[in-house]
Amino acid sequence: MKIKDLIKVLELWAPPAYQESYDNSRLIVGNPNDEVEKCIVALDCVEDVVDEAIEVGAQIIVAHHPIVFGGLKSFTGKNYIERTVMKAIKNDIAIYAIHTNLDNVHSGVNYKIASRLGLQNVEILDPKNGLLRKLVTFVPVAQSEKVLNALFQAGAGFIGKYSECSFSLTGTGTFKAGEGANPHVGEIDERHHEQEQRVEVIYPVIYEGSILNALNESHPYEEGAYDLYQIQNKNALVGSGKGGELEESMDEKAFM
């Protein structure tokens, strides 16, 4: 596979949009179109890890912590960061970091630790906000269920542990089709009244592209109207830390 194919799989699991503002989770070194056959996974990508990649013939290192957090203004080998990056470039070894996005995703690092500890009723300690949006569209009543199903399949309608969540309100829409239009209902140059449903769904911003594609493909109108709203609701499945309950109480020293 190519490096970009591997990255696509990783980012479906832990989207870069979930990382913290100070982070640098991304392809740090390497060409996304290069072929990859062997990968090293590490907590930190330092010189010894690059040496191991050279030794075993790996083309990419997937590290938790980014070797570069801020901008580098020179490459003289004066510190381990510059030496690591220079050695990776010289030997055609890519470096990819997947840090706080993997911490924040529901099935990521903290979930794994909580699972190893046997915690029950696990919840995110600090859910992130600003990751959700609301789509509002207007659909003829007869086709509203078809459009809703398409939006749900594309990833809309999840609120916490609930799926297929939406709100609909019936009303009357009007439009006049101009010359050259191909209206689903109504006649050219005549105002048309149509019983429509206002349909609202919440969705993670990372799915916006696929959700808008699903809307356009399922909507019967030639020019379907829709609004997008930024909302501040916290996403209960994305955020920092995990908390839960032990199966039974135990002494603090025994727990440690």
Side-chain angles (χ1 to χ4, degrees), residues 4-235:
K4 64 183 180 182
D5 300 322
L6 175 59
I7 291 174
K8 182 178 180 180
V9 173
L10 292 172
E11 293 186 351
L12 282 173
W13 178 23
Y18 290 172
Q19 67 181 298
E20 300 297 332
S21 59
Y22 61 81
D23 201 7
N24 191 35
S25 294
R26 66 178 69 210
L27 182 64
I28 295 173
V29 171
N31 184 335
N33 290 308
D34 284 351
E35 294 286 336
V36 59
E37 296 179 353
K38 188 176 291 186
C39 168
I40 281 185
V41 177
L43 180 64
D44 292 287
C45 179
V46 292
E47 291 175 87
D48 288 346
V49 176
V50 178
D51 288 336
E52 183 178 348
I54 296 169
E55 182 181 341
V56 303
Q59 297 83 23
I60 187 170
I61 299 165
V62 175
H64 188 47
H65 298 129
I67 184 65
V68 177
F69 271 96
L72 296 178
K73 295 185 177 181
S74 66
F75 291 88
T76 61
K78 63 180 178 293
N79 57 48
Y80 82 94
I81 297 174
E82 292 182 10
R83 290 193 297 271
T84 300
V85 172
M86 291 167 65
K87 182 176 287 189
I89 292 173
K90 284 181 179 179
N91 291 276
D92 291 326
I93 296 171
I95 301 174
Y96 181 82
I98 182 167
H99 185 209
T100 54
N101 48 328
L102 189 58
D103 290 333
N104 287 336
V105 72
H106 177 64
S107 58
V109 174
N110 292 316
Y111 171 80
K112 192 65 175 179
I113 295 173
S115 298
R116 289 295 186 95
L117 291 173
L119 297 187
Q120 301 174 343
N121 301 319
V122 175
E123 294 183 350
I124 289 174
L125 295 179
D126 185 19
K128 290 180 74 67
N129 60 15
L131 296 177
L132 296 173
R133 288 186 181 166
K134 180 163 69 172
L135 165 69
V136 177
T137 189
F138 305 87
V139 191
V141 173
Q143 282 83 32
S144 62
E145 195 68 18
K146 174 187 175 183
V147 172
L148 259 182
N149 288 335
L151 295 175
F152 292 153
Q153 290 176 11
F158 284 90
I159 300 178
K161 298 178 181 179
Y162 294 85
S163 63
E164 299 191 9
C165 302
S166 70
F167 175 78
S168 297
L169 182 67
T170 303
T172 302
T174 67
F175 56 83
K176 181 192 290 186
E179 290 296 330
N182 183 27
H184 175 69
V185 289
E187 302 296 333
I188 299 293
D189 206 30
E190 290 183 9
R191 182 189 300 163
H192 177 77
H193 294 73
E194 181 71 21
Q195 284 292 101
E196 296 178 336
Q197 281 195 330
R198 173 190 170 108
V199 176
E200 302 183 11
V201 289
I202 288 177
Y203 64 91
V205 67
I206 59 170
Y207 298 145
E208 186 164 282
S210 60
I211 286 170
L212 291 181
N213 285 337
L215 174 64
N216 290 330
E217 290 175 4
S218 62
H219 203 293
Y221 287 170
E222 185 178 23
E223 300 285 350
Y226 63 88
D227 300 312
L228 302 178
Y229 296 91
Q230 179 75 49
I231 60 177
Q232 293 303 312
N233 302 50
K234 291 182 180 292
N235 190 332

